[in-house]
Amino acid sequence: MMQAVTVLPGDGNSTSHCASLGPGLVRNGDRHVRISLPGVLRRESECKEWVDFSKKKYIPVKNERVLGIVAKTGKQHRVDIQASVHAVLPELAFQGATKRNKPTLQVGQVVYAQITRAHRVLEPEISCVESSGKAGGLGPLDSGYLHRCSLGLCRKLLAEQCTVLQALGKHFKFECVVGMNGLVLVNSDKLVHTIAITNAISSSEFMSEEQCSAMVQQIVDTL
């Protein structure tokens, strides 16, 4: 990953050759890329580039995985994904779902889904199946503690080498589902561990690797 560079809206990045541009970047022409959000410019190998920024309002991006809360059920479920409008989740957008055999969702239930439509005018649409037709880990989630955090922290948690999650994994057995929309679901055998893990994740946003490791050890010592 490239060295962190702070950028501001209007800055140019004429050297970008990335095939995939994430949030905060707009392509003008074949090579010139304009910065549209303030934050830290990140690059993963030579194929993906984005701006890391602290923001809680989510802007849907196609193919991103998100956590959502069912707000209304029906043939077209309405799901709150922390965007300006609710996303549409078709009742058949589940692995193996048919008109006679499909999951029964409840208002308030959490689902893990993928953005299939992101448009400026139309409502975003999500699905609990991948392009292959398999769930791939997507679908309703029945247990765990749902926590809201910044979009920047979510991207930090989804990095291949996430210090805080690695440090927590040495001491606790837990599951952590991270949505790109600022929602994190934590589940473990004990409630006290779930709360401690959630607090550690929230506190790690602006910490260095050494600070994250020390913070996790302090939490373990107090339990």
Side-chain angles (χ1 to χ4, degrees):
M1 185 174 287
M2 66 178 288
Q3 184 178 1
V5 178
T6 302
V7 293
L8 296 172
D11 289 350
N13 185 22
S14 58
T15 60
S16 177
H17 301 282
C18 294
S20 177
L21 296 180
L25 297 175
V26 179
R27 191 182 299 279
N28 291 336
D30 295 334
R31 292 187 177 182
H32 186 74
V33 174
R34 179 173 57 83
I35 309 296
S36 61
L37 293 171
V40 179
L41 184 64
R42 306 283 189 185
R43 181 181 297 156
E44 188 176 293
S45 65
E46 295 183 356
C47 61
K48 188 174 182 180
E49 197 172 55
W50 70 96
V51 175
D52 229 348
F53 58 97
S54 293
K55 188 177 180 182
K56 289 192 174 181
K57 181 61 69 176
Y58 175 65
I59 300 174
V61 177
K62 189 175 181 179
N63 296 327
E64 284 191 346
R65 294 194 169 194
V66 297
L67 284 165
I69 304 171
V70 178
K72 185 179 180 181
T73 59
K75 291 186 177 180
Q76 300 283 344
H77 303 303
R78 302 288 172 170
V79 181
D80 182 3
I81 58 170
Q82 307 298 306
S84 57
V85 295
H86 288 169
V88 175
L89 174 60
E91 63 176 356
L92 299 181
F94 298 87
Q95 181 178 342
T98 63
K99 290 184 178 180
R100 293 186 177 182
N101 183 22
K102 54 184 179 292
T104 301
L105 299 183
Q106 303 293 331
V107 173
Q109 189 170 8
V110 178
V111 294
Y112 187 42
Q114 182 171 283
I115 304 288
T116 55
R117 182 179 68 197
H119 195 274
R120 290 183 178 180
V121 178
L122 301 177
E123 296 171 314
E125 184 172 307
I126 58 177
S127 174
C128 290
V129 290
E130 297 178 327
S131 57
S132 62
K134 302 294 184 180
L138 303 175
L141 301 175
D142 297 322
S143 60
Y145 174 70
L146 189 65
H147 175 69
R148 185 176 180 182
C149 59
S150 71
L151 304 184
L153 178 55
C154 284
R155 290 188 172 84
K156 182 178 180 179
L157 295 173
L158 289 169
E160 291 185 7
Q161 301 293 329
C162 179
T163 304
V164 67
L165 292 182
Q166 290 178 341
L168 288 168
K170 295 177 181 178
H171 303 282
F172 304 103
K173 291 183 179 180
F174 70 99
E175 296 176 346
C176 182
V177 182
V178 182
M180 293 291 287
N181 58 328
L183 292 176
V184 178
L185 187 78
V186 177
N187 189 28
S188 66
D189 295 335
K190 297 181 179 180
L191 178 60
V192 64
H193 289 174
T194 299
I195 295 173
I197 292 166
T198 303
N199 289 338
I201 290 173
S202 299
S203 301
S204 69
E205 182 169 6
F206 302 108
M207 289 185 176
S208 64
E209 294 184 359
E210 294 77 12
Q211 290 173 328
C212 284
S213 299
M215 180 261 297
V216 170
Q217 187 59 54
Q218 184 177 8
I219 291 175
V220 173
D221 293 340
T222 57
L223 293 178

PDB file of all heavy atoms in Angstrom, residues 3 7 14 21 26 56 59 66 87 101 107 113 122 126 136 149 152 155 172 175-176 190 195 201 204-205 210 218 223:
ATOM      1  N   GLN A   3       2.295   5.139   0.510  1.00  0.00           N
ATOM      2  CA  GLN A   3       2.402   5.988   1.687  1.00  0.00           C
ATOM      3  C   GLN A   3       1.196   6.926   1.762  1.00  0.00           C
ATOM      4  O   GLN A   3       0.707   7.426   0.760  1.00  0.00           O
ATOM      5  CB  GLN A   3       3.692   6.800   1.603  1.00  0.00           C
ATOM      6  CG  GLN A   3       3.959   7.654   2.844  1.00  0.00           C
ATOM      7  CD  GLN A   3       5.260   8.402   2.726  1.00  0.00           C
ATOM      8  OE1 GLN A   3       5.951   8.295   1.727  1.00  0.00           O
ATOM      9  NE2 GLN A   3       5.608   9.160   3.750  1.00  0.00           N
ATOM     10  N   VAL A   7      -5.174  14.662   1.028  1.00  0.00           N
ATOM     11  CA  VAL A   7      -5.655  15.346  -0.167  1.00  0.00           C
ATOM     12  C   VAL A   7      -6.904  16.164   0.166  1.00  0.00           C
ATOM     13  O   VAL A   7      -7.586  15.910   1.161  1.00  0.00           O
ATOM     14  CB  VAL A   7      -5.993  14.334  -1.289  1.00  0.00           C
ATOM     15  CG1 VAL A   7      -4.740  13.650  -1.792  1.00  0.00           C
ATOM     16  CG2 VAL A   7      -7.000  13.292  -0.794  1.00  0.00           C
ATOM     17  N   SER A  14      -2.785  13.112 -11.566  1.00  0.00           N
ATOM     18  CA  SER A  14      -2.642  12.805 -12.988  1.00  0.00           C
ATOM     19  C   SER A  14      -1.866  11.528 -13.254  1.00  0.00           C
ATOM     20  O   SER A  14      -1.823  11.042 -14.372  1.00  0.00           O
ATOM     21  CB  SER A  14      -1.951  13.977 -13.706  1.00  0.00           C
ATOM     22  OG  SER A  14      -0.687  14.232 -13.123  1.00  0.00           O
ATOM     23  N   LEU A  21     -11.617   2.922  -9.249  1.00  0.00           N
ATOM     24  CA  LEU A  21     -11.564   4.107  -8.405  1.00  0.00           C
ATOM     25  C   LEU A  21     -12.671   4.025  -7.369  1.00  0.00           C
ATOM     26  O   LEU A  21     -13.831   3.792  -7.705  1.00  0.00           O
ATOM     27  CB  LEU A  21     -11.725   5.375  -9.237  1.00  0.00           C
ATOM     28  CG  LEU A  21     -10.629   5.664 -10.269  1.00  0.00           C
ATOM     29  CD1 LEU A  21     -10.944   6.953 -11.004  1.00  0.00           C
ATOM     30  CD2 LEU A  21      -9.258   5.754  -9.607  1.00  0.00           C
ATOM     31  N   VAL A  26     -12.774  10.994  -8.862  1.00  0.00           N
ATOM     32  CA  VAL A  26     -13.578  11.122 -10.076  1.00  0.00           C
ATOM     33  C   VAL A  26     -12.626  11.199 -11.258  1.00  0.00           C
ATOM     34  O   VAL A  26     -11.689  12.008 -11.262  1.00  0.00           O
ATOM     35  CB  VAL A  26     -14.468  12.384 -10.032  1.00  0.00           C
ATOM     36  CG1 VAL A  26     -15.266  12.498 -11.328  1.00  0.00           C
ATOM     37  CG2 VAL A  26     -15.407  12.330  -8.835  1.00  0.00           C
ATOM     38  N   LYS A  56     -20.064   9.569   8.229  1.00  0.00           N
ATOM     39  CA  LYS A  56     -21.047   8.572   8.645  1.00  0.00           C
ATOM     40  C   LYS A  56     -22.156   8.364   7.614  1.00  0.00           C
ATOM     41  O   LYS A  56     -22.802   7.332   7.611  1.00  0.00           O
ATOM     42  CB  LYS A  56     -21.647   8.959  10.000  1.00  0.00           C
ATOM     43  CG  LYS A  56     -20.664   8.794  11.155  1.00  0.00           C
ATOM     44  CD  LYS A  56     -21.341   8.886  12.503  1.00  0.00           C
ATOM     45  CE  LYS A  56     -20.354   8.576  13.625  1.00  0.00           C
ATOM     46  NZ  LYS A  56     -21.001   8.624  14.954  1.00  0.00           N
ATOM     47  N   ILE A  59     -22.631   6.666   0.853  1.00  0.00           N
ATOM     48  CA  ILE A  59     -23.031   6.812  -0.538  1.00  0.00           C
ATOM     49  C   ILE A  59     -22.865   5.450  -1.205  1.00  0.00           C
ATOM     50  O   ILE A  59     -21.740   4.945  -1.303  1.00  0.00           O
ATOM     51  CB  ILE A  59     -22.163   7.860  -1.260  1.00  0.00           C
ATOM     52  CG1 ILE A  59     -22.304   9.224  -0.565  1.00  0.00           C
ATOM     53  CG2 ILE A  59     -22.566   7.978  -2.730  1.00  0.00           C
ATOM     54  CD1 ILE A  59     -21.377  10.291  -1.119  1.00  0.00           C
ATOM     55  N   VAL A  66     -22.541  -4.429   2.407  1.00  0.00           N
ATOM     56  CA  VAL A  66     -23.044  -3.555   3.460  1.00  0.00           C
ATOM     57  C   VAL A  66     -23.890  -4.342   4.457  1.00  0.00           C
ATOM     58  O   VAL A  66     -24.393  -5.431   4.153  1.00  0.00           O
ATOM     59  CB  VAL A  66     -23.898  -2.409   2.872  1.00  0.00           C
ATOM     60  CG1 VAL A  66     -23.072  -1.520   1.964  1.00  0.00           C
ATOM     61  CG2 VAL A  66     -25.103  -2.966   2.106  1.00  0.00           C
ATOM     62  N   ALA A  87     -32.611   1.154   0.874  1.00  0.00           N
ATOM     63  CA  ALA A  87     -32.311   0.302  -0.269  1.00  0.00           C
ATOM     64  C   ALA A  87     -33.434  -0.712  -0.472  1.00  0.00           C
ATOM     65  O   ALA A  87     -34.152  -1.061   0.466  1.00  0.00           O
ATOM     66  CB  ALA A  87     -30.987  -0.423  -0.060  1.00  0.00           C
ATOM     67  N   ASN A 101     -40.783 -20.708  -1.462  1.00  0.00           N
ATOM     68  CA  ASN A 101     -39.758 -20.976  -0.444  1.00  0.00           C
ATOM     69  C   ASN A 101     -38.755 -19.835  -0.413  1.00  0.00           C
ATOM     70  O   ASN A 101     -37.836 -19.776  -1.227  1.00  0.00           O
ATOM     71  CB  ASN A 101     -39.055 -22.304  -0.743  1.00  0.00           C
ATOM     72  CG  ASN A 101     -38.026 -22.654   0.318  1.00  0.00           C
ATOM     73  OD1 ASN A 101     -38.092 -22.182   1.441  1.00  0.00           O
ATOM     74  ND2 ASN A 101     -37.055 -23.478  -0.063  1.00  0.00           N
ATOM     75  N   VAL A 107     -39.011  -6.879  10.651  1.00  0.00           N
ATOM     76  CA  VAL A 107     -38.565  -5.495  10.805  1.00  0.00           C
ATOM     77  C   VAL A 107     -37.562  -5.421  11.955  1.00  0.00           C
ATOM     78  O   VAL A 107     -37.797  -5.970  13.035  1.00  0.00           O
ATOM     79  CB  VAL A 107     -39.764  -4.563  11.082  1.00  0.00           C
ATOM     80  CG1 VAL A 107     -39.286  -3.156  11.415  1.00  0.00           C
ATOM     81  CG2 VAL A 107     -40.702  -4.533   9.886  1.00  0.00           C
ATOM     82  N   ALA A 113     -25.538  -7.778   2.827  1.00  0.00           N
ATOM     83  CA  ALA A 113     -25.877  -7.828   1.409  1.00  0.00           C
ATOM     84  C   ALA A 113     -24.853  -7.078   0.566  1.00  0.00           C
ATOM     85  O   ALA A 113     -23.945  -6.430   1.079  1.00  0.00           O
ATOM     86  CB  ALA A 113     -27.274  -7.228   1.193  1.00  0.00           C
ATOM     87  N   LEU A 122     -32.298   6.654  -9.012  1.00  0.00           N
ATOM     88  CA  LEU A 122     -33.031   5.474  -8.562  1.00  0.00           C
ATOM     89  C   LEU A 122     -32.588   5.045  -7.168  1.00  0.00           C
ATOM     90  O   LEU A 122     -31.466   5.327  -6.737  1.00  0.00           O
ATOM     91  CB  LEU A 122     -32.817   4.322  -9.544  1.00  0.00           C
ATOM     92  CG  LEU A 122     -33.257   4.570 -10.986  1.00  0.00           C
ATOM     93  CD1 LEU A 122     -32.903   3.365 -11.854  1.00  0.00           C
ATOM     94  CD2 LEU A 122     -34.744   4.858 -11.065  1.00  0.00           C
ATOM     95  N   ILE A 126     -30.052  -3.919  -3.277  1.00  0.00           N
ATOM     96  CA  ILE A 126     -29.093  -4.846  -2.688  1.00  0.00           C
ATOM     97  C   ILE A 126     -29.556  -6.276  -2.910  1.00  0.00           C
ATOM     98  O   ILE A 126     -30.732  -6.529  -3.192  1.00  0.00           O
ATOM     99  CB  ILE A 126     -28.885  -4.585  -1.182  1.00  0.00           C
ATOM    100  CG1 ILE A 126     -30.224  -4.703  -0.422  1.00  0.00           C
ATOM    101  CG2 ILE A 126     -28.259  -3.215  -0.957  1.00  0.00           C
ATOM    102  CD1 ILE A 126     -30.080  -4.519   1.080  1.00  0.00           C
ATOM    103  N   GLY A 136     -22.413 -16.883  -0.506  1.00  0.00           N
ATOM    104  CA  GLY A 136     -21.076 -16.356  -0.242  1.00  0.00           C
ATOM    105  C   GLY A 136     -20.966 -15.606   1.065  1.00  0.00           C
ATOM    106  O   GLY A 136     -20.240 -14.620   1.164  1.00  0.00           O
ATOM    107  N   CYS A 149     -20.108   3.117  13.138  1.00  0.00           N
ATOM    108  CA  CYS A 149     -18.814   3.815  13.203  1.00  0.00           C
ATOM    109  C   CYS A 149     -18.601   4.570  11.895  1.00  0.00           C
ATOM    110  O   CYS A 149     -19.453   4.550  11.008  1.00  0.00           O
ATOM    111  CB  CYS A 149     -17.681   2.825  13.467  1.00  0.00           C
ATOM    112  SG  CYS A 149     -17.529   1.540  12.223  1.00  0.00           S
ATOM    113  N   GLY A 152     -14.353   5.503   7.438  1.00  0.00           N
ATOM    114  CA  GLY A 152     -12.904   5.318   7.443  1.00  0.00           C
ATOM    115  C   GLY A 152     -12.477   4.161   8.321  1.00  0.00           C
ATOM    116  O   GLY A 152     -11.582   3.389   7.963  1.00  0.00           O
ATOM    117  N   ARG A 155     -13.153   0.777   6.584  1.00  0.00           N
ATOM    118  CA  ARG A 155     -12.126   0.413   5.601  1.00  0.00           C
ATOM    119  C   ARG A 155     -10.846  -0.041   6.290  1.00  0.00           C
ATOM    120  O   ARG A 155     -10.142  -0.919   5.805  1.00  0.00           O
ATOM    121  CB  ARG A 155     -11.854   1.594   4.667  1.00  0.00           C
ATOM    122  CG  ARG A 155     -13.014   1.872   3.729  1.00  0.00           C
ATOM    123  CD  ARG A 155     -12.666   2.918   2.675  1.00  0.00           C
ATOM    124  NE  ARG A 155     -13.731   3.005   1.700  1.00  0.00           N
ATOM    125  CZ  ARG A 155     -14.837   3.723   1.833  1.00  0.00           C
ATOM    126  NH1 ARG A 155     -14.988   4.460   2.927  1.00  0.00           N
ATOM    127  NH2 ARG A 155     -15.771   3.743   0.913  1.00  0.00           N
ATOM    128  N   PHE A 172      -9.614 -13.478  22.204  1.00  0.00           N
ATOM    129  CA  PHE A 172     -11.053 -13.741  22.217  1.00  0.00           C
ATOM    130  C   PHE A 172     -11.462 -14.557  20.994  1.00  0.00           C
ATOM    131  O   PHE A 172     -10.871 -14.427  19.922  1.00  0.00           O
ATOM    132  CB  PHE A 172     -11.848 -12.425  22.213  1.00  0.00           C
ATOM    133  CG  PHE A 172     -11.508 -11.484  23.323  1.00  0.00           C
ATOM    134  CD1 PHE A 172     -10.710 -10.372  23.093  1.00  0.00           C
ATOM    135  CD2 PHE A 172     -11.986 -11.697  24.616  1.00  0.00           C
ATOM    136  CE1 PHE A 172     -10.391  -9.489  24.113  1.00  0.00           C
ATOM    137  CE2 PHE A 172     -11.674 -10.819  25.643  1.00  0.00           C
ATOM    138  CZ  PHE A 172     -10.872  -9.718  25.393  1.00  0.00           C
ATOM    139  N   GLU A 175     -16.820 -13.307  16.205  1.00  0.00           N
ATOM    140  CA  GLU A 175     -17.109 -13.079  14.796  1.00  0.00           C
ATOM    141  C   GLU A 175     -17.333 -11.593  14.588  1.00  0.00           C
ATOM    142  O   GLU A 175     -17.962 -10.933  15.416  1.00  0.00           O
ATOM    143  CB  GLU A 175     -18.363 -13.845  14.355  1.00  0.00           C
ATOM    144  CG  GLU A 175     -18.212 -15.354  14.437  1.00  0.00           C
ATOM    145  CD  GLU A 175     -19.501 -16.076  14.075  1.00  0.00           C
ATOM    146  OE1 GLU A 175     -20.553 -15.395  14.022  1.00  0.00           O
ATOM    147  OE2 GLU A 175     -19.461 -17.291  13.843  1.00  0.00           O
ATOM    148  N   CYS A 176     -16.822 -11.083  13.492  1.00  0.00           N
ATOM    149  CA  CYS A 176     -16.958  -9.655  13.201  1.00  0.00           C
ATOM    150  C   CYS A 176     -17.318  -9.490  11.722  1.00  0.00           C
ATOM    151  O   CYS A 176     -16.563  -9.918  10.847  1.00  0.00           O
ATOM    152  CB  CYS A 176     -15.656  -8.918  13.516  1.00  0.00           C
ATOM    153  SG  CYS A 176     -15.739  -7.135  13.244  1.00  0.00           S
ATOM    154  N   LYS A 190     -19.643 -14.497  25.157  1.00  0.00           N
ATOM    155  CA  LYS A 190     -19.996 -13.764  26.366  1.00  0.00           C
ATOM    156  C   LYS A 190     -20.300 -12.308  26.033  1.00  0.00           C
ATOM    157  O   LYS A 190     -19.599 -11.681  25.246  1.00  0.00           O
ATOM    158  CB  LYS A 190     -18.860 -13.832  27.387  1.00  0.00           C
ATOM    159  CG  LYS A 190     -18.549 -15.240  27.889  1.00  0.00           C
ATOM    160  CD  LYS A 190     -17.438 -15.204  28.917  1.00  0.00           C
ATOM    161  CE  LYS A 190     -17.125 -16.606  29.438  1.00  0.00           C
ATOM    162  NZ  LYS A 190     -16.038 -16.589  30.454  1.00  0.00           N
ATOM    163  N   ILE A 195     -18.934  -6.553  24.315  1.00  0.00           N
ATOM    164  CA  ILE A 195     -18.838  -5.123  24.626  1.00  0.00           C
ATOM    165  C   ILE A 195     -17.380  -4.659  24.592  1.00  0.00           C
ATOM    166  O   ILE A 195     -17.065  -3.591  24.046  1.00  0.00           O
ATOM    167  CB  ILE A 195     -19.464  -4.842  26.003  1.00  0.00           C
ATOM    168  CG1 ILE A 195     -20.971  -5.139  25.974  1.00  0.00           C
ATOM    169  CG2 ILE A 195     -19.218  -3.388  26.419  1.00  0.00           C
ATOM    170  CD1 ILE A 195     -21.641  -5.043  27.317  1.00  0.00           C
ATOM    171  N   ILE A 201     -12.621  -1.788  19.095  1.00  0.00           N
ATOM    172  CA  ILE A 201     -12.706  -1.427  17.680  1.00  0.00           C
ATOM    173  C   ILE A 201     -12.974   0.068  17.529  1.00  0.00           C
ATOM    174  O   ILE A 201     -12.336   0.750  16.715  1.00  0.00           O
ATOM    175  CB  ILE A 201     -13.805  -2.256  16.986  1.00  0.00           C
ATOM    176  CG1 ILE A 201     -13.362  -3.721  16.865  1.00  0.00           C
ATOM    177  CG2 ILE A 201     -14.122  -1.690  15.612  1.00  0.00           C
ATOM    178  CD1 ILE A 201     -14.425  -4.660  16.339  1.00  0.00           C
ATOM    179  N   SER A 204      -9.915   2.290  18.251  1.00  0.00           N
ATOM    180  CA  SER A 204      -8.711   2.065  17.445  1.00  0.00           C
ATOM    181  C   SER A 204      -8.606   2.960  16.213  1.00  0.00           C
ATOM    182  O   SER A 204      -7.573   2.943  15.546  1.00  0.00           O
ATOM    183  CB  SER A 204      -8.670   0.599  16.994  1.00  0.00           C
ATOM    184  OG  SER A 204      -9.703   0.341  16.049  1.00  0.00           O
ATOM    185  N   GLU A 205      -9.645   3.728  15.919  1.00  0.00           N
ATOM    186  CA  GLU A 205      -9.698   4.437  14.631  1.00  0.00           C
ATOM    187  C   GLU A 205      -8.467   5.294  14.362  1.00  0.00           C
ATOM    188  O   GLU A 205      -7.910   5.270  13.263  1.00  0.00           O
ATOM    189  CB  GLU A 205     -10.960   5.295  14.562  1.00  0.00           C
ATOM    190  CG  GLU A 205     -11.102   6.025  13.241  1.00  0.00           C
ATOM    191  CD  GLU A 205     -12.467   6.658  13.052  1.00  0.00           C
ATOM    192  OE1 GLU A 205     -13.278   6.621  14.010  1.00  0.00           O
ATOM    193  OE2 GLU A 205     -12.722   7.196  11.964  1.00  0.00           O
ATOM    194  N   GLU A 210       1.129   0.135  17.404  1.00  0.00           N
ATOM    195  CA  GLU A 210       1.621  -0.094  18.764  1.00  0.00           C
ATOM    196  C   GLU A 210       0.566   0.283  19.796  1.00  0.00           C
ATOM    197  O   GLU A 210       0.366  -0.425  20.789  1.00  0.00           O
ATOM    198  CB  GLU A 210       2.907   0.715  19.006  1.00  0.00           C
ATOM    199  CG  GLU A 210       4.104   0.273  18.176  1.00  0.00           C
ATOM    200  CD  GLU A 210       4.033   0.730  16.737  1.00  0.00           C
ATOM    201  OE1 GLU A 210       3.170   1.585  16.420  1.00  0.00           O
ATOM    202  OE2 GLU A 210       4.822   0.223  15.911  1.00  0.00           O
ATOM    203  N   GLN A 218      -4.430  -3.996  27.539  1.00  0.00           N
ATOM    204  CA  GLN A 218      -4.998  -3.364  28.733  1.00  0.00           C
ATOM    205  C   GLN A 218      -6.425  -3.848  28.976  1.00  0.00           C
ATOM    206  O   GLN A 218      -6.817  -4.081  30.131  1.00  0.00           O
ATOM    207  CB  GLN A 218      -4.971  -1.845  28.542  1.00  0.00           C
ATOM    208  CG  GLN A 218      -5.445  -1.073  29.772  1.00  0.00           C
ATOM    209  CD  GLN A 218      -5.355   0.425  29.598  1.00  0.00           C
ATOM    210  OE1 GLN A 218      -5.066   0.902  28.496  1.00  0.00           O
ATOM    211  NE2 GLN A 218      -5.611   1.185  30.639  1.00  0.00           N
ATOM    212  N   LEU A 223     -10.243  -7.637  32.348  1.00  0.00           N
ATOM    213  CA  LEU A 223     -11.363  -8.592  32.351  1.00  0.00           C
ATOM    214  C   LEU A 223     -11.107  -9.763  33.311  1.00  0.00           C
ATOM    215  O   LEU A 223      -9.986 -10.143  33.531  1.00  0.00           O
ATOM    216  CB  LEU A 223     -11.617  -9.121  30.926  1.00  0.00           C
ATOM    217  CG  LEU A 223     -12.132  -8.088  29.920  1.00  0.00           C
ATOM    218  CD1 LEU A 223     -12.279  -8.723  28.551  1.00  0.00           C
ATOM    219  CD2 LEU A 223     -13.472  -7.523  30.380  1.00  0.00           C
TER     220      LEU A 223
END
